[in-house]
Amino acid sequence: MEAIVYIRWSTLNQEDGNSLERQKALAEAVAKTHGWTINPDEIHIESGKSAYHGRNRAQNGKLRQIEDRAARGELAGKVLIVEAMDRLSRQEPLESLNLLVGLCKQGLTICEAGTGIIYDTAKINDNWANLIVALAKAGEAHDSSKLKARRITSTWRKTQEEGKTKTGTADPRLCPAWMEVIDGEFTVIEERADIIREMFRLSLQGYGLRHISDRSNEARETLGWPKAAWTIRTVSNMLHSRRVLGEYQPQRRTDSYGREDVAPARKIYPEIVTPEQWHQVQASIASRKGTGGPRTKNVNVLSHVCRCTHRQVTIDEDGQERVSAVPCGSRMSIRTHKRQRWQLVCADFARAGSCKGNATFIYEHLLKGLLDNISHFVRAAPALPQDDTLARIALKRSEVQTMQKRLEKLADDVMLSDDQTLRAAYERFKERVKAAETELRALEGQRESKEAAIPSSEAINELEKLRANMEDVEVRQRMQVLIDGLVDAIFLHEEDRSATVVLMGGLVAFKLDKKGKLIGQPVDALDMLDVPSDDHDLALIAAGGDPLRSAAIKRADQIIRPKD
């Protein structure tokens, strides 16, 4: 009889032991005893796959392949040799028993090499008591794995929370690939970190994911890290990851073999980019969605901030003109004039959309006026008003920690009981904990975004330096990113071709005439908090759908409204 051998161990570190040799030797010995022939191509080794969680039976598991072949009738008349039944499965007892009976029904004989017990349809029918033994063994194996899993999970959760081993040193299992543990501390591998910092720098300059991945792979070839090439997906994941900020997010596997967060992220590593850089990159990526990244020719550095304020005029049933309460809000696209001057025009109008605002604005006048005045107003602007976000974060964090402890206690009670009511209560409370954790992360992100949105003197200084070399494409790409970070919106008014520039989250706004000259004094948008609720659509349109940014632009809305 032809024999196939299935060898499995749960953890990758067991590969360094004698598990392979022991299981292989037992299989060869029992095959020799019964006169079976082992096909060398039919020795299936499953390394690091848990039978308790059923991962060896998942889509890419070796046992799953054996099950599929048996179901197609390809293994009828053959024998499957395993060291013990728990090598096949340590799932719930009935699940393990169903696996054994199912394989036997499909014509496969199963031999347990450690005990010499053989299972096939005939032997089971002749001596069904062997199934009781198999069921008892399956239950014992499952209970053992269950207890072990609880202990390992508890220890691992503690490691995740503290970021340290039992001895108090940094745990290398938590290390991102650009760090190592030296003298018990997480230490940055600067050569690797420099590749990631360069990704963020290129993204801030306006480059897309494909260009960044190509540049990163050049550095990868020189350094030999990472093993696999950078792709658009891996670069995107890196630019959005908060691990570069030094944060570790505890997670666990789900029943569907995915991952889910089990606790709020904690800062345990040295950061390799600043929170300001990280948030600027997020804003930069969001602003480029649908634009295809920077162009290789001319770059409109105002493309993300200029907005059309044309209001649609309609005629009602009484023949009266009605002016729309909500302006167009579309971006302004650039086009050339016969005198070779760049002009800004409503993008919706240019595409023959619903907007009828055909007013044009001289691009160079607007840009010059902005650059002439922005540095003065940003430096002279008042500080952002304080809010209660920090206090709310502290309260929410305390609430989440208390709920997590209660959830752990409830989980222990569920593990020790088969009470379905208790399990249902556990599931409901777990959803509440998830909702509280999500709210905490949103508050923390809101605070970080506000802090990162404060224009820095470095950004203003860099903008002034770049102005001297605006013919260079890369310089204009960088200017676009800086302007996106400094300017909330620029509203262009068709009545007199003037422009209203809103800065500092709506704290400051100033107006330019059609030649780019400053009109009057800057307007303090803090005096404009009482904006009618029906103006919410305008704020959302002007802010590109960002509710945080829209709140600031709502405050500046009265600047652009014609007086009744």
Side-chain angles (χ1 to χ4, degrees):
M1 184 182 292
E2 184 179 343
I4 60 179
V5 180
Y6 177 75
I7 297 171
R8 184 194 64 80
W9 53 84
S10 300
T11 57
L12 293 175
N13 59 358
Q14 288 179 274
E15 193 170 344
D16 298 330
N18 65 345
S19 187
L20 173 61
E21 290 77 9
R22 185 189 70 251
Q23 294 185 54
K24 191 174 181 181
L26 278 171
E28 291 172 347
V30 76
K32 184 176 181 181
T33 299
H34 292 279
W36 297 329
T37 302
I38 297 177
N39 184 343
D41 295 331
E42 291 282 17
I43 299 177
H44 304 279
I45 300 172
E46 196 100 75
S47 173
K49 294 287 182 67
S50 169
Y52 172 65
H53 296 287
R55 295 195 178 97
N56 60 331
R57 301 181 66 186
Q59 192 62 43
N60 60 344
K62 296 291 181 64
L63 182 57
R64 173 63 179 273
Q65 296 173 10
I66 293 174
E67 289 185 74
D68 290 344
R69 290 171 62 193
R72 294 193 297 267
E74 298 175 8
L75 302 182
K78 297 184 180 181
V79 60
L80 172 64
I81 304 176
V82 294
E83 180 186 34
M85 290 305 300
D86 62 6
R87 294 295 170 184
L88 291 178
S89 175
R90 298 178 76 96
Q91 294 176 284
E92 290 81 1
L94 285 178
E95 189 68 29
S96 298
L97 189 61
N98 287 336
L99 172 63
L100 171 64
V101 173
L103 291 175
C104 290
K105 282 185 175 180
Q106 288 155 358
L108 191 62
T109 298
I110 300 175
C111 176
E112 193 176 44
T115 62
I117 298 177
I118 295 176
Y119 300 92
D120 61 24
T121 304
K123 286 183 171 58
I124 290 174
N125 289 333
D126 291 341
N127 189 3
W128 56 265
N130 282 339
L131 284 183
I132 298 177
V133 176
L135 181 63
K137 287 183 177 181
E140 183 181 356
H142 177 70
D143 289 346
S144 174
S145 292
K146 186 176 181 180
L147 179 60
K148 182 180 178 182
R150 286 184 58 194
R151 291 173 177 170
I152 292 174
T153 299
S154 177
T155 303
W156 178 239
R157 291 288 173 268
K158 187 175 181 180
T159 299
Q160 287 183 312
E161 290 173 5
E162 299 177 356
K164 298 183 181 296
T165 63
K166 294 179 180 179
T167 59
T169 59
D171 195 322
R173 292 175 297 176
L174 304 181
C175 252
W178 57 90
M179 287 188 192
E180 58 186 341
V181 175
I182 299 179
D183 296 331
E185 299 293 337
F186 291 115
T187 306
V188 176
I189 305 173
E190 292 296 340
E191 290 179 325
R192 296 182 178 183
D194 284 342
I195 295 179
I196 298 170
R197 293 183 186 116
E198 179 67 6
M199 290 181 184
F200 278 79
R201 187 186 70 81
L202 291 172
S203 182
L204 278 175
Q205 288 184 344
Y207 286 103
L209 296 175
R210 187 176 300 280
H211 179 88
I212 296 173
S213 63
D214 291 343
R215 290 280 292 270
S216 300
N217 281 320
E218 293 175 7
R220 166 184 169 271
E221 292 177 1
T222 302
L223 188 58
W225 176 84
K227 291 182 180 180
W230 294 102
T231 64
I232 290 176
R233 181 177 181 180
T234 54
V235 169
S236 177
N237 290 340
M238 184 62 70
L239 292 175
H240 286 92
S241 172
R242 294 183 65 90
R243 298 186 85 182
V244 297
L245 297 175
E247 294 183 7
Y248 171 71
Q249 175 63 67
Q251 292 185 321
R252 66 181 170 200
R253 291 185 183 273
T254 64
D255 294 337
S256 58
Y257 310 112
R259 290 186 179 274
E260 64 178 359
D261 297 345
V262 295
R266 296 180 60 252
K267 186 166 184 176
I268 64 174
Y269 317 119
E271 64 184 32
I272 60 173
V273 300
T274 66
E276 181 182 14
Q277 290 171 323
W278 190 87
H279 282 284
Q280 286 175 346
V281 166
Q282 307 316 304
S284 177
I285 292 173
S287 70
R288 292 197 300 271
K289 282 184 178 179
T291 67
R295 302 298 185 261
T296 56
K297 297 182 179 180
N298 296 322
V299 178
N300 175 11
V301 301
L302 303 178
S303 62
H304 300 151
V305 293
C306 290
R307 293 290 187 271
C308 172
T309 62
H310 175 78
R311 296 173 187 271
Q312 194 71 19
V313 178
T314 57
I315 307 297
D316 63 14
E317 296 178 354
D318 299 329
Q320 300 293 320
E321 288 188 350
R322 298 291 182 183
V323 180
S324 172
V326 179
C328 169
S330 299
R331 290 183 179 182
M332 305 293 288
S333 62
I334 202 167
R335 69 182 185 185
T336 56
H337 189 262
K338 59 185 178 182
R339 289 184 291 180
Q340 300 303 312
R341 273 186 167 180
W342 286 5
Q343 294 180 339
L344 291 172
V345 66
C346 174
D348 185 67
F349 171 79
R351 293 192 299 266
S354 59
C355 181
K356 304 303 180 184
N358 62 351
T360 58
F361 302 81
I362 305 300
Y363 175 78
E364 63 185 76
H365 291 167
L366 178 58
L367 179 59
K368 182 179 183 301
L370 174 68
L371 297 178
D372 284 345
N373 294 281
I374 188 172
S375 60
H376 167 73
F377 289 133
V378 168
R379 289 193 172 107
L384 286 175
Q386 296 297 313
D387 56 28
D388 62 346
T389 307
L390 284 177
R392 291 163 61 199
I393 288 174
L395 288 173
K396 180 57 67 174
R397 184 175 292 129
S398 176
E399 177 188 341
V400 167
Q401 290 172 350
T402 301
M403 294 176 72
Q404 287 172 341
K405 290 179 181 178
R406 288 179 58 193
L407 184 65
E408 290 176 2
K409 175 64 169 60
L410 193 57
D412 290 339
D413 294 341
V414 169
M415 294 292 287
L416 297 173
S417 171
D418 292 329
D419 189 336
Q420 294 302 313
T421 302
L422 186 61
R423 179 174 292 276
Y426 167 77
E427 294 297 335
R428 289 195 301 270
F429 190 68
K430 185 169 72 171
E431 292 303 316
R432 287 178 55 194
V433 174
K434 284 184 179 179
E437 291 171 348
T438 301
E439 186 177 346
L440 174 60
R441 286 194 290 269
L443 285 172
E444 291 173 337
Q446 179 181 342
R447 184 63 188 178
E448 284 184 357
S449 297
K450 286 183 178 180
E451 293 173 350
I454 301 174
S456 63
S457 57
E458 290 81 4
I460 290 296
N461 293 337
E462 184 179 358
L463 191 63
E464 292 175 346
K465 291 178 181 177
L466 292 175
R467 189 176 182 183
N469 191 25
M470 289 181 58
E471 297 303 318
D472 185 272
V473 173
E474 290 194 6
V475 168
R476 297 178 71 85
Q477 290 169 354
R478 178 58 181 158
M479 286 185 71
Q480 182 185 56
V481 172
L482 291 172
I483 289 173
D484 287 350
L486 293 168
V487 178
D488 292 315
I490 300 177
F491 298 104
L492 302 179
H493 315 297
E494 59 185 348
E495 298 85 5
D496 56 1
R497 303 299 195 273
S498 64
T500 300
V501 182
V502 184
L503 306 172
M504 300 289 288
L507 286 176
V508 172
F510 60 89
K511 296 192 73 171
L512 303 172
D513 68 9
K514 65 180 182 180
K515 295 290 186 180
K517 295 181 180 180
L518 184 65
I519 304 175
Q521 296 299 315
V523 181
D524 184 355
L526 282 177
D527 296 332
M528 304 176 184
L529 291 172
D530 296 324
V531 180
S533 59
D534 61 356
D535 294 335
H536 180 66
D537 289 338
L538 164 65
L540 281 177
I541 293 171
D546 182 347
L548 293 177
R549 198 174 182 189
S550 69
I553 297 177
K554 278 177 68 176
R555 300 201 297 259
D557 181 42
Q558 287 187 358
I559 303 170
I560 69 166
R561 284 197 173 279
K563 301 299 180 182
D564 294 331

